[in-house]
Amino acid sequence: VVDSGLARISRYSVRGKVQRLPIEKIAQASADQRKGRCGRVAEGICIRLYDEDDFNARDAFTAPEIQRTNLASVILKLAMLGLPDPSEFPFIDPPEMKLINDGYRLLQELKAVDESRRITSSGKQIAALPLDPRLARMLLAADHHRCLREMLIIAAFLSAQDPRERPQEAQQKADQHHASHADLRSDFLTVLAIWKRFHDSAEQLSGNQLRKWCREQFLSFIRLREWQEVHSQLREAVDELGLRPNQMDANYADLHQAILTGFLGGIGTLEENREYLGARSARFVIAPGTPLASKPPKWVVAASLMETTRMYARMVAAVEPQWIEAAGEHLLKRSYSEPHWEAQRGFVAALESTALYGLVLSAKRRINYASVAPQEAREIFIRAALVEGQSDIKADFLTHNRALIHQVEAIEARIRRRDVLVDEQAQVDFYLQHLPAHIHSATALNGWLREQRLEVQSLRMTLKDLLRRELAEFDSATYPEFVECNGNRLPLHYKFEPADVDDGVTVTVPEPLLAALKPERLAWCVPGWRLERITETLRALPKALRKQFVPIPQFAAQALQELATQDNPTHWLAQWITQHGGTVFNADDLQALSIPTHLNPYVRVEDFSGRMVAQGRDLRRLLRETQVAVAAAPPQPLVMAQTDNLRAWDCGDLPLAHEVQRNGVRFTVYPALQDRGDSVAVVELSNAVQAEQVLLGGVLRLLVLALPQQYKFARQQFAGNRELML
């Protein structure tokens, strides 16, 4: 006997959750057993390939199997028998605590025990089956997936020895015969194919012929019979549990989802060089000779992971990540990111990622966030859909609340402060307080509103809900909505956005009235800003003159009191500065000072169709631009309507005057038609300059078109002819 002093000893790896076969030094008892092999029938010689000191340093005996295997089955049996916890049970060779804990983790993976380590109903069924807990768990899942008939065959195969033989002298021939049974997707289907062929042959052949067929197929007849015997025992066991095999053939998905329930620790995803990243960062390859090794799929499950020179996977099948998710639902680690409001779908969505034992099964899958975090989803829904208005929800309370918010925002723009309207969080808190807790989507809100017979008054905000403080200093008269211009009211629009070009107040003026606007009067059109304008004007004075108005706020307040009775504030302020500063200062000097832009109104010039033709803060420049544009416009052709039917007056009495207003401009028209068909339209204007602008702007054509319908002849006769109208 030649003793190398080494052997492959099966050890369970707690860290990798796999059974290992490392090459280790044998114990002294094993060495003595080897030595005894040469003294059975005659004197012999034992040659040990290691020195005596090495032998004396070795353990006396090999570690007992209970200290180097998975204890899940032992723990389950102790629990079913009502015996103490394995950590308290008086084993002759007690296992390490880490092995006991690992056994409990496997049972939790199989749903045999709960988090408190109490046996579950499934655990009792698993313990009732004479199988490894993983195989028993597969049988229970097979009953649910309607593949119990096939799973009994597979479980019996995994409980017995593999019947396939591969003799040293005929390896290639054996591989060829075995390949005829092989399935390229799953080794488990290969097992079913072998079972079917063996049973088909057994029905057609005698005993001796069947043995010969097994030899030809390189299958062990003894192991096949053992496989049959284990299958029969398992069939009886599942019958006692009330499980009934399926009558129809199982499909691939159902069968392998049931297999996954027992071997979640054997999953892996393909990486480089045909290597798989497995559970808990383990790395393995598919064992040579397996059909899947030549063309490895993306995801696999393996019934056996064995480490020798490297970790190999045997009994492998291709699976889908969603099957793994379903089988390991209770073990998944879920993470959620980017919760956001989906306006089109009407709910709060988030991106979900799932992982099992460190393997990412799905990444950034869009889900309804309310199913995960309903309270957080509710707040996001309220903030985005109700407060920010990112939805098409139609509700009276929303219309009311948004109108009220716009009203407060308009006040902020007038007084140029951002501390009036409450922040978004206060508005969110209002809805959180008044909306039911189950409302976190547009569908839920609309359904709840339909259930309410009357308008939900509690959801209507008041100014008290939206104001941070009382606005005693705000007077709407000091921030007018219109400015008067020759009997016309030009709208004012306030804006508080310092970075925008139209920050401040914008006056919209029809093109014919542009010449009627006076810069020195328009600059003071907002009484609420007059104090700030005076203050900034005094600060912009030359240094020598500015010293005469220190402290500036005090002088500005004094000037404001005296300004109230003046018709031309610009000229008056220039005179006031001259009087109090001792230096001559005229209106042109005043207008040349650099003050904050928002204090000078922004002018938007529109034509009668509402189209913007010019804009800016310099009235003189705008007037020049509009005059040039009108002069460059091509003349409109004369369109004369011909009729032979109009020979007498049959239109009824005409009004003495007709009031016309278009796009903010008001005119009084005096029409008169004589029996010969002529007509005259007279526009009442304030001065010659305005009349010129009206004519150049093409207003007379508008006036004719604005006449009542009975003046059809006049509308056709003079449309587009400025000279004839004049």
Side-chain angles (χ1 to χ4, degrees), residues 2-252:
V2 178
D3 180 12
S4 66
L6 303 175
R8 287 194 181 274
I9 300 177
S10 176
R11 291 188 183 275
Y12 179 73
S13 172
V14 175
R15 181 179 179 182
K17 304 294 184 293
V18 295
Q19 202 71 27
R20 302 172 60 245
L21 283 175
I23 297 176
E24 299 180 358
K25 294 180 178 180
I26 60 176
Q28 292 180 4
S30 297
D32 290 340
Q33 186 185 35
R34 290 182 178 181
K35 180 182 67 174
R37 297 289 180 180
C38 65
R40 297 294 179 88
V41 295
E43 295 293 330
I45 300 174
C46 177
I47 302 174
R48 289 174 173 164
L49 302 182
Y50 48 96
D51 56 32
E52 188 175 359
D53 292 338
D54 187 2
F55 173 82
N56 294 329
R58 299 186 180 196
D59 295 334
F61 299 95
T62 304
E65 187 176 2
I66 196 172
Q67 295 180 348
R68 49 188 176 88
T69 190
N70 185 274
L71 299 179
S73 180
V74 175
I75 295 171
L76 203 57
K77 292 296 183 184
L78 290 175
M80 287 297 297
L81 294 172
L83 297 175
D85 185 90
S87 60
E88 301 174 359
F89 189 81
F91 289 107
I92 297 176
D93 297 300
E96 295 184 16
M97 195 63 196
K98 63 180 182 180
L99 282 172
I100 296 175
N101 292 334
D102 182 78
Y104 273 115
R105 281 193 289 269
L106 176 58
L107 292 176
Q108 289 175 357
E109 176 184 303
L110 302 176
K111 294 185 178 181
V113 298
D114 57 20
E115 295 180 356
S116 301
R117 295 188 173 182
R118 293 190 298 266
I119 190 168
T120 64
S121 58
S122 296
K124 294 177 181 179
Q125 289 182 305
I126 291 173
L129 293 171
L131 275 175
D132 181 279
R134 288 171 291 193
L135 301 180
R137 177 70 181 90
M138 288 164 47
L139 290 177
L140 296 182
D143 180 63
H144 172 73
H145 287 283
R146 299 178 302 278
C147 57
L148 182 58
R149 185 182 66 188
E150 291 82 2
M151 193 61 70
L152 284 170
I153 298 171
I154 294 172
F157 175 87
L158 295 175
S159 300
Q161 296 188 65
D162 191 334
R164 288 171 292 189
E165 295 179 334
R166 193 168 181 263
Q168 186 73 23
E169 65 279 4
Q171 291 184 359
Q172 185 175 358
K173 191 175 182 180
D175 291 342
Q176 291 175 354
H177 281 85
H178 293 162
S180 64
H181 313 292
D183 187 279
L184 298 179
R185 296 180 299 166
S186 171
D187 290 341
F188 300 98
L189 296 185
T190 300
V191 170
L192 296 178
I194 295 174
W195 175 271
K196 186 177 185 304
R197 288 195 179 185
F198 174 69
H199 274 262
D200 290 345
S201 300
E203 293 177 357
Q204 301 173 5
L205 303 176
S206 63
N208 290 332
Q209 291 175 332
L210 183 60
R211 290 175 181 273
K212 181 180 179 181
W213 178 86
C214 290
R215 288 194 298 270
E216 292 174 350
Q217 298 295 322
F218 292 90
L219 297 174
S220 171
F221 179 79
I222 301 298
R223 292 178 182 177
L224 287 171
R225 286 298 188 191
E226 180 186 355
W227 184 5
Q228 284 183 315
E229 182 63 26
V230 174
H231 177 268
S232 298
Q233 295 175 5
L234 292 180
R235 178 65 184 269
E236 294 177 1
V238 297
D239 285 343
E240 293 177 0
L241 291 178
L243 308 182
R244 294 293 178 263
N246 50 295
Q247 299 301 318
M248 299 181 63
D249 292 343
N251 60 43
Y252 187 94

Side-chain angles (χ1 to χ4, degrees), residues 587-605:
D588 292 336
D589 297 331
L590 189 66
Q591 293 179 353
L593 295 177
S594 177
I595 62 174
T597 307
H598 72 273
L599 294 174
N600 291 318
Y602 192 84
V603 180
R604 177 184 173 91
V605 185

